[in-house]
Amino acid sequence: MSVTITPITMDLMEQVANITRRAGAEIMKIYATDFDVVTKNDSSPVTAADQAAEDIILPALESELSVKFPIVSEEAASKGNIPDVEGTPFWLVDPLYGTKEFVSRNGEFTVNIGLIENGTPIMGVVYAPTLDLMYIGGAPGAFLNEGSTAFAPISVRPMPDTGLIALVSRSHRTPEIDGFLAPYGIGQEFSAGSSLKFCRVAEGKADIYPRLGRTMEWDTAAAHGVLKFAGGHVETLDGNDLSYGKPGLDNPHFIAYGNGQLKV
């Protein structure tokens, strides 16, 4: 078993949360305008908000924190700027996850900063600007801040024997997801965008979130960290923990779930 070396404190998590909040404020300025949408080489949409948020996050991580690590961030990576992270902790950043939600103006997009060590998240911060929800997770535990309230602990709920609550992607729903969920006896099902699906499981509002489509490591790292320290799991379909620092930074299909065993 790998040993976490980097100390994660509540103060550090709150510092990173403040960075995501500042990025979120810049995103909301653009959200209020008639912004343009550009299609990247991988056919995914991008807006000025994605880059504006990254332009806040990267310098802040490099200059404002006591810990200094390489940063892998979506927009920089799309331009070929990917540092060597072998053998070192590193940040995984998605400055605006849920660009399709941003473009459709449904509000379900997030700012995401995760810290990886030995292939696993040791801290995750997820901020939903339109909802003013801030999720953080690390060694001190998992916490949620709503608006001006103080951070309150969150945790997954015990896995029920029947009637699981499932979350599915609002923008990436497929027939394969229906087939995957069918044996689990799902009692309720909800759709959500971006990394909010992980966070809903982390706060005990749902039990299971399967993703049978392409995602990148920066899409999942931060929310995986929140869910992990809330007592949940993110596993590949063969039952291994979802890991980070993989060649190409692509994720395999995975399932996120709460506390207990998934029973078919």
Side-chain angles (χ1 to χ4, degrees):
M1 172 181 276
S2 59
V3 177
T4 298
I5 300 171
T6 306
I8 304 300
T9 64
M10 193 70 182
D11 181 63
L12 177 61
M13 291 197 295
E14 291 191 19
Q15 284 181 282
V16 177
N18 180 56
I19 294 170
T20 66
R21 194 179 294 279
R22 282 150 45 196
E26 192 63 26
I27 287 170
M28 292 304 293
K29 291 178 184 178
I30 297 170
Y31 193 57
T33 69
D34 186 19
F35 54 82
D36 293 325
V37 182
V38 177
T39 301
K40 294 193 287 189
N41 291 336
D42 64 358
S43 299
S44 64
V46 65
T47 71
D50 298 73
Q51 189 62 56
E54 187 169 275
D55 289 345
I56 289 172
I57 294 169
L58 270 56
L61 290 177
E62 291 169 343
S63 65
E64 296 179 14
L65 306 179
S66 59
V67 292
K68 309 295 180 185
F69 301 121
I71 306 169
V72 178
S73 188
E74 179 178 15
E75 302 315 318
S78 70
K79 300 178 180 71
N81 300 323
I82 304 176
D84 180 9
V85 299
E86 185 175 357
T88 180
F90 65 99
W91 299 102
L92 269 170
V93 175
D94 192 336
L96 199 170
Y97 184 26
T99 302
K100 289 183 178 179
E101 278 67 38
F102 182 87
V103 171
S104 65
R105 298 184 186 275
N106 70 20
E108 294 182 336
F109 51 86
T110 53
V111 183
N112 303 265
I113 302 177
L115 182 59
I116 304 300
E117 185 170 279
N118 296 319
T120 190
I122 60 171
M123 181 173 69
V125 176
V126 175
Y127 180 52
T130 60
L131 305 173
D132 203 8
L133 295 176
M134 180 75 72
Y135 297 88
I136 61 175
F143 304 87
L144 169 61
N145 168 281
E146 301 183 67
S148 60
T149 63
F151 278 104
I154 58 173
S155 64
V156 298
R157 70 176 194 161
M159 189 72 67
D161 291 330
T162 60
L164 272 65
I165 299 174
L167 279 165
V168 296
S169 174
R170 188 177 301 283
S171 300
H172 303 279
R173 178 66 179 266
T174 65
E176 288 77 14
I177 290 292
D178 295 329
F180 181 87
L181 288 173
Y184 288 100
I186 303 301
Q188 296 182 75
E189 183 181 299
F190 299 99
S191 298
S194 69
S195 51
L196 285 170
K197 296 179 287 294
F198 291 86
C199 296
R200 298 304 189 197
V201 177
E203 61 179 314
K205 292 186 176 179
D207 302 301
I208 182 174
Y209 159 48
R211 181 62 185 265
L212 307 184
R214 185 171 187 256
T215 59
M216 302 300 292
E217 292 189 2
W218 49 70
D219 294 327
T220 59
H224 185 169
V226 173
L227 179 55
K228 172 184 174 180
F229 290 100
H233 311 271
V234 184
E235 296 177 350
T236 61
L237 299 188
D238 57 8
N240 294 319
D241 291 338
L242 183 64
S243 64
Y244 296 84
K246 303 181 294 296
L249 303 172
D250 293 85
N251 286 327
H253 298 172
F254 64 82
I255 180 169
Y257 63 97
N259 182 31
Q261 298 292 318
L262 286 173
K263 299 176 181 179
V264 177

